[in-house]
Amino acid sequence: MSALEEYRSTFGEEYGYLNWAAYGLLSPAITAEAVADAELLGSPRPASHTLVHDRVPEARELLAEMLDVSADTVTLQPSATYGLMHALYGLSGEVLAASSEFPSITVSLERASAFGRARARWIDFEDDDPHAGFVTPDAVAAALDDDVTALVVSHVDFRTGYRTDLSALREVLGPDRLLIVDAVQSFGVIEADYAAADVIVGHGYKWLRAGRGTGFATFSARARERITPVLSGFGGVDGGLPLDVLPAPSPSANAYTVASPDQLAVARLAMGLTTARDAGVAAIEAALMERTDRLFAIADSYGIAVQTPRAHEQRAGIVNLLPENPAQLAASLANAGVRATARGVSIRVSAHVGTSDDTLAQLDEAIGSAGYEKFISE
């Protein structure tokens, strides 16, 4: 059995689940790890606690390896939003972002403006724009001026599934502006030029299948020069617990932390990272493209419009459908036991490597049951 086949075998038989972009079902290995580590923390023996605590440096090293960065730039966070808040609250100047971004970006940037340092500069899209949410290099270039000091962007847009070109964004921004990337919808399943980014945030509860509390963020040397550690807590200092002293924040990326991480969450993250690393992200991406190709084919067979780009290099695991009667289709999917995300005029389906042919067949049948006529054979 190949490493990818072994990875695929861990997904079980969750028929009808096409909602990985919303929540990744915990893998059996991660569930077992959580139980084992919880038992260790229930022991009075310090050695048992140390075994769990050691997952902290392990997770940081794994993240550094998969992101191709130095481990001293990696921080563990309760969520990706915490990492974004550390970055955005400490910036000054105008920060560019799309108004259609996930609220972890838009709300955090708006709140950062209350400090009087960072100011939001929004890329707005027309309501009827079929490319709304596509933060392309051209869209960024059109919005830039000398006041913009940073861009914050999702690597893969949560609504449309559009995957932006990080290298191209880096070129447009030039060497003097920061590139802050939310990789929640891509990390672990898509290879990327993460070196183009100054700050990368992510979370293991979707595609890594590691559950909540498994966030992380990296801060390059250039980012640390520009971002004041406003939210730095006692966990963000060097030299251990700062009793009876008030030390400055650490000069390392550790400054962008508040307190000690949740050890059980970190253990789950470490297991999710190990699983993805061992299977190989390139192999996972290739398999994921095959699954999403099948989603496109099913939509095409019923003549359902798709907002997500078709080029492999411009998408990941999300396929956003734009059916003529979204409410009717959403009801049919729910009745058939197909889990997806219905939002306004769209229905977002998201497959993972382990999504079975039976689940894809359920989707196909549910669309037919909603009254759509199939006129193209897969």
Side-chain angles (χ1 to χ4, degrees), residues 166-177:
L166 300 183
S167 300
L169 289 181
R170 175 78 275 163
E171 184 174 351
V172 167
L173 291 171
D176 296 327
R177 298 183 181 93

Side-chain angles (χ1 to χ4, degrees), residues 2-8 11 62 65-66 186-192 194 207-209 271-289 352-353:
S2 70
L4 180 64
E5 289 170 339
E6 185 174 349
Y7 174 68
R8 199 195 300 269
F11 280 79
L62 285 164
E65 176 185 347
M66 294 179 68
S186 61
F187 180 72
V189 292
I190 295 294
E191 288 198 312
Y194 290 116
W207 302 96
L208 288 177
R209 308 154 68 203
M271 179 59 71
L273 293 167
T274 299
T275 303
R277 189 272 313 271
D278 291 349
V281 175
I284 292 172
E285 178 176 349
L288 184 61
M289 289 300 104
H352 207 323
V353 172

Side-chain angles (χ1 to χ4, degrees), residues 36-355:
D37 287 338
E39 291 176 349
L40 287 172
L41 291 183
S43 166
R45 294 174 298 177
S48 297
H49 302 172
T50 299
L51 288 172
V52 182
H53 179 74
D54 286 347
R55 306 309 293 272
V56 172
E58 179 186 354
R60 292 179 70 235
E61 291 287 348
L62 285 164
L63 284 164
E65 176 185 347
M66 294 179 68
L67 292 166
D68 195 23
V69 299
S70 172
D72 64 3
T73 70
V74 177
T75 66
L76 301 175
Q77 305 285 343
S79 72
T81 303
Y82 279 77
L84 285 168
M85 291 170 69
H86 278 290
L88 297 176
Y89 283 27
L91 278 172
S92 60
E94 296 203 352
V95 180
L96 188 64
S99 58
S100 58
E101 286 280 9
F102 192 76
S104 60
I105 290 178
T106 57
V107 174
S108 297
L109 182 51
E110 187 68 18
R111 298 293 184 268
S113 300
F115 283 97
R117 293 171 54 86
R119 300 181 302 279
R121 169 83 68 84
W122 301 111
I123 304 173
D124 289 312
F125 299 94
E126 299 295 333
D127 290 340
D128 59 351
D129 183 354
H131 295 154
F134 287 25
V135 183
T136 64
D138 288 344
V140 172
L144 287 180
D145 61 25
D146 291 342
D147 293 328
V148 174
T149 59
L151 167 69
V152 55
V153 63
S154 293
H155 186 204
V156 173
D157 180 64
F158 81 106
R159 299 178 201 259
T160 66
Y162 169 74
R163 187 205 322 184
T164 194
D165 185 334
L166 300 183
S167 300
L169 289 181
R170 175 78 275 163
E171 184 174 351
V172 167
L173 291 171
D176 296 327
R177 298 183 181 93
L178 295 183
L179 175 56
I180 301 169
V181 176
D182 182 337
V184 166
Q185 293 289 7
S186 61
F187 180 72
V189 292
I190 295 294
E191 288 198 312
D193 178 20
Y194 290 116
D198 300 288
V199 176
I200 307 161
V201 304
H203 204 148
Y205 83 98
K206 294 181 186 286
W207 302 96
L208 288 177
R209 308 154 68 203
R212 289 281 186 177
T214 55
F216 61 87
T218 71
F219 297 86
S220 70
R222 179 166 56 178
R224 299 197 299 273
E225 291 175 358
R226 311 274 185 89
I227 299 172
T228 303
V230 174
L231 299 181
S232 185
F234 73 85
V237 304
D238 292 337
L241 192 66
L243 297 176
D244 304 319
V245 293
L246 294 173
S250 170
S252 74
N254 189 53
Y256 306 100
T257 58
V258 175
S260 299
D262 179 342
Q263 294 176 2
L264 288 176
V266 173
R268 286 186 273 110
L269 174 61
M271 179 59 71
L273 293 167
T274 299
T275 303
R277 189 272 313 271
D278 291 349
V281 175
I284 292 172
E285 178 176 349
L288 184 61
M289 289 300 104
E290 186 275 332
R291 295 287 87 181
T292 52
D293 284 342
R294 291 283 303 278
L295 293 176
F296 274 96
I298 291 170
D300 290 344
S301 71
Y302 289 99
I304 296 176
V306 178
Q307 187 179 22
T308 308
R310 292 177 181 268
H312 284 188
E313 66 274 12
Q314 291 186 334
R315 58 178 161 94
I318 293 171
V319 176
N320 201 45
L321 308 179
L322 299 174
E324 291 183 1
N325 192 331
Q328 181 177 333
L329 180 54
S332 181
L333 294 179
N335 290 336
V338 175
R339 289 285 305 279
T341 294
R343 186 180 286 117
V345 300
S346 69
I347 295 177
R348 185 186 69 184
V349 290
S350 47
H352 207 323
V353 172
T355 298

